[in-house]
Amino acid sequence: LEDALELLFALGALDKHGRLTSPLGEAMAEMPIDPMLAKMLLKSEEYKCTEQALSIAAMVSVQSVFYLPKYHRNDAYKAHRSLQMREGDHMTLLNIYNEFLDNGKEAEWCKEYHLKYSTLRRANEIRRHLRRSLKRRGMKIEELDENTEESAVTLIKCVLSGFFPNVAQLSGSGRYVTVRGGYV
């Protein structure tokens, strides 16, 4: 419980007396998702990347989209690597979601890239639900041009606005240590 309260305080959802902040904490409390995702989505309006943030939030909210068939693991790893983004896991998930849409949400495309079709469809449903929720809040929903270095930096800043507690650095011992001192 203490860790949860500490996280909510760090995200700006609670003040030093443990009360919801206004408007951020109140808005986060109304959202049906993890507080870190809620913060990222709410901050996305400031970064003008809400469309991308919605896709990332949806993809993070489902089980793994990667399928590893028993007898074709190497093919699956190769297909998965072809979708990876050097900017990290969140950007990879965004890329996979965008490719899924660009390929008509087709099951055959998922099969070719060893991805779980039902999981990607579920992410699409979650995204629609979250988008409606943000529109009801009156948020301006904008989309970045994803084909620039600047847009990648902007998206990463947006993701970090909510996920900063998960940031880790490689220590001298070869292990990753989070900003809060825990090992990954």
Side-chain angles (χ1 to χ4, degrees), residues 92-156:
T92 296
L93 291 173
L94 176 61
N95 184 50
I96 290 169
Y97 183 78
N98 287 340
E99 288 291 327
F100 178 62
L101 294 183
D102 291 347
N103 285 279
K105 300 183 224 173
E106 290 291 328
E108 195 57 40
W109 178 83
C110 292
K111 186 176 179 183
E112 180 183 340
Y113 284 90
H114 301 277
L115 301 171
K116 298 175 188 171
Y117 176 67
S118 61
T119 304
L120 283 162
R121 286 193 45 188
R122 178 71 181 133
N124 196 50
E125 291 170 22
I126 290 169
R127 187 187 187 285
R128 275 198 314 270
H129 175 72
L130 291 172
R131 192 174 197 281
R132 278 194 307 270
S133 176
L134 294 181
K135 287 201 73 87
R136 277 195 303 270
R137 294 198 54 72
M139 272 186 67
K140 188 174 183 180
I141 298 178
E142 297 182 78
E143 184 172 10
L144 281 176
D145 173 14
E146 293 181 35
N147 296 324
T148 67
E149 184 78 25
E150 184 180 323
S151 66
V153 170
T154 299
L155 280 169
I156 291 167

Side-chain angles (χ1 to χ4, degrees), residues 23-89:
L24 180 62
E26 292 168 352
M28 288 173 63
E30 292 173 3
M31 298 190 75
I33 54 174
D34 178 276
M36 292 189 298
L37 286 172
K39 171 81 179 269
M40 178 190 74
L41 283 176
L42 293 168
K43 293 293 279 185
S44 71
E45 184 176 33
E46 179 182 318
Y47 290 106
K48 297 178 169 69
C49 64
T50 305
E51 290 289 1
Q52 288 90 346
L54 282 163
S55 300
I56 292 168
M59 291 292 283
V60 170
S61 297
V62 295
Q63 294 179 351
S64 174
V65 297
F66 300 106
Y67 173 65
L68 290 172
K70 189 174 184 178
Y71 297 107
H72 300 283
R73 286 190 191 272
N74 288 337
D75 292 339
Y77 287 133
K78 184 177 178 182
H80 297 165
R81 274 193 304 277
S82 74
L83 296 168
Q84 282 181 331
M85 302 298 289
R86 67 179 179 87
E87 295 86 0
D89 294 346

